[in-house]
Amino acid sequence: MATPDFSQIGGSTEVEKRSFWSRPEGILGMIVLAGMAGFGLVYFNRIVEFLIRATSNLLELALLLGALGVLIFLFTSRDVRTAVFFLFKSLMRSLTGTVIQLNPIAIMKIYVDDLKDKRQKMQGQINTLAGQLVKLNKKITENNEASKQKFAEANKANAMTDRPGMREAAQLATIEGAGLQEMNEKLMPLQRNMKTVLAFMEKVNQSADYIIKETEIKVRLKETEYQIVKESSNALKTAVSIFKGDPDKRFYFDQSMEYIQDDMSNKLGEMKRAMDLSMDFINGVDIQNGILSDKGEALLEAYNKGEFKMVQSGVDSLDGPSANPITAPIPGQAAPAKDAGYRNLLD
């Protein structure tokens, strides 16, 4: 008996070309079509009522016939059907791709769990098949024992043929024994087939266990790699964002810089305007300081020469003004006469 080939249990290495309906997007498409069909069945009565109401009006009937003609054209037109079919395929593929992109690792783990469920189901079937094989073996053994018993009864009856009915009993026992042997002859091929199937399923179970473990290792490896790549990508994006910056945050940053620049310019302009306005006052103060400084130097020089005289108050006492006010001489001029303060009293 040829040994079954288990090399292709894990699937071929080359991607087989499958039809659209056998792919995941095709399965999703069939589910969507089944849902649309179910929706039509649920609301079938309402659709019929609408058709009845529509046909009660000639105008509505004409419009309905026109719409029906358009639908017939769309369904009978090969180009339209091809376009709709490709549009439907693209939509289903987009939905499937969206589902895959949400969490690919979770989908891979779901696939592994599905393999485990199938292996567990197959193990239950193996146990059932093994139980049936045990029953079959027991049945064959029982048939052999019963056949031997019937043949022994037939021999015993043949030895007592002188008695009435023994010949018929021997013949009946022989027929029953032969029937049991014929049953065993028919059960033996079934027993061999069951043993072959059971051995095949045991090997498939071992191969499935290997495939599941290998797939789990691949999933864990991909999960680790994917996590590392995601973290690395996030870190790289953070590093790049330092140079490029987040667009929204960069906008507020630029606006803040522009506001600060405008505010500084306004304040510097106000400061310059204030300095320009106060420059005249400062210059006047500087001039007064210069004049006082020159006068002070002249007084100091007069003091050093002995020409300086203290400025006396114009009132000697509470009775009235002083009779002889003393004024300090102005540099470069002759000292005034002693009675200079009284000369204008008589004018």
Side-chain angles (χ1 to χ4, degrees):
M1 182 177 61
T3 304
D5 184 12
F6 301 101
S7 60
Q8 301 298 327
I9 291 177
S12 59
T13 56
E14 297 181 357
V15 179
E16 299 179 356
K17 293 183 177 180
R18 299 181 296 173
S19 63
F20 169 75
W21 301 109
S22 62
R23 296 178 181 176
E25 54 267 25
I27 296 173
L28 179 61
M30 288 190 290
I31 294 173
V32 173
L33 290 177
M36 294 173 63
F39 180 81
L41 291 175
V42 171
Y43 294 95
F44 178 75
N45 293 331
R46 296 185 181 181
I47 294 174
V48 172
E49 291 176 0
F50 169 75
L51 294 176
I52 294 174
R53 288 196 305 269
T55 54
S56 61
N57 191 306
L58 293 178
L59 180 59
E60 292 181 357
L61 178 61
L63 294 175
L64 182 61
L65 291 176
L68 183 61
V70 172
L71 291 176
I72 293 174
F73 170 75
L74 293 178
F75 280 108
T76 56
S77 177
R78 184 177 180 181
D79 295 336
V80 174
R81 284 189 285 107
T82 303
V84 172
F85 178 69
F86 279 108
L87 180 63
F88 183 75
K89 285 177 61 177
S90 301
L91 179 60
M92 295 301 104
R93 185 167 297 175
S94 300
L95 292 176
T96 305
T98 303
V99 174
I100 293 174
Q101 291 176 4
L102 290 176
N103 197 341
I105 300 298
I107 294 177
M108 295 171 67
K109 290 182 178 180
I110 292 173
Y111 173 74
V112 174
D113 293 337
D114 183 65
L115 291 179
K116 290 181 179 180
D117 293 338
K118 290 181 178 179
R119 182 189 63 179
Q120 187 175 2
K121 182 179 179 181
M122 184 179 63
Q123 288 176 348
Q125 293 174 345
I126 291 174
N127 294 334
T128 302
L129 185 60
Q132 294 297 325
L133 182 60
V134 170
K135 291 181 180 180
L136 181 60
N137 292 333
K138 184 178 180 180
K139 184 65 177 178
I140 292 174
T141 303
E142 291 176 353
N143 288 342
N144 289 329
E145 294 296 330
S147 177
K148 291 179 182 180
Q149 182 68 27
K150 292 300 179 181
F151 288 143
E153 292 177 358
N155 291 331
K156 187 67 175 178
N158 287 328
M160 301 172 65
T161 54
D162 54 341
R163 295 183 180 182
M166 287 298 174
R167 187 180 297 278
E168 290 79 4
Q171 186 179 4
L172 181 60
T174 302
I175 293 173
E176 290 180 357
L180 292 173
Q181 287 299 311
E182 185 179 0
M183 182 183 295
N184 282 349
E185 289 177 358
K186 294 181 179 180
L187 292 177
M188 291 302 293
L190 180 60
Q191 183 189 38
R192 289 192 298 269
N193 290 335
M194 290 183 68
K195 289 181 178 179
T196 302
V197 172
L198 187 61
F200 174 78
M201 293 187 69
E202 289 289 351
K203 291 184 178 181
V204 170
N205 185 35
Q206 295 176 0
S207 301
D209 187 61
Y210 170 76
I211 292 171
I212 291 173
K213 290 181 180 179
E214 184 182 14
T215 306
E216 284 182 334
I217 293 173
K218 289 181 179 179
V219 171
R220 288 198 297 267
L221 176 61
K222 288 297 179 183
E223 184 178 11
T224 303
E225 291 179 349
Y226 188 57
Q227 188 66 28
I228 292 174
V229 171
K230 284 177 63 178
E231 295 296 335
S232 301
S233 177
N234 293 334
L236 183 60
K237 288 180 180 178
T238 303
V240 172
S241 65
I242 295 176
F243 299 99
K244 299 178 67 175
D246 183 81
D248 297 332
K249 296 180 180 179
R250 183 70 183 182
F251 171 77
Y252 287 106
F253 175 81
D254 294 337
Q255 292 294 320
S256 300
M257 289 290 292
E258 184 177 354
Y259 171 77
I260 291 175
Q261 187 66 34
D262 293 340
D263 191 49
M264 289 175 58
S265 300
N266 293 332
K267 284 181 170 52
L268 289 174
E270 293 175 358
M271 292 170 62
K272 186 176 182 302
R273 179 63 177 167
M275 291 174 64
D276 291 339
L277 293 175
S278 61
M279 189 58 65
D280 295 337
F281 175 76
I282 294 173
N283 290 335
V285 172
D286 290 340
I287 292 172
Q288 294 296 326
N289 288 335
I291 294 173
L292 291 175
S293 178
D294 293 339
K295 186 175 180 180
E297 290 180 358
L299 292 174
L300 178 61
E301 184 179 357
Y303 175 79
N304 292 330
K305 292 180 179 181
E307 300 175 354
F308 177 76
K309 293 183 179 180
M310 296 295 293
V311 178
Q312 298 295 329
S313 175
V315 179
D316 289 338
S317 62
L318 297 177
D319 297 333
S322 174
N324 188 19
I326 301 174
T327 60
I330 298 175
Q333 296 182 2
K338 294 182 179 180
D339 57 351
Y342 302 98
R343 288 183 178 177
N344 297 326
L345 292 177
L346 301 176
D347 292 341

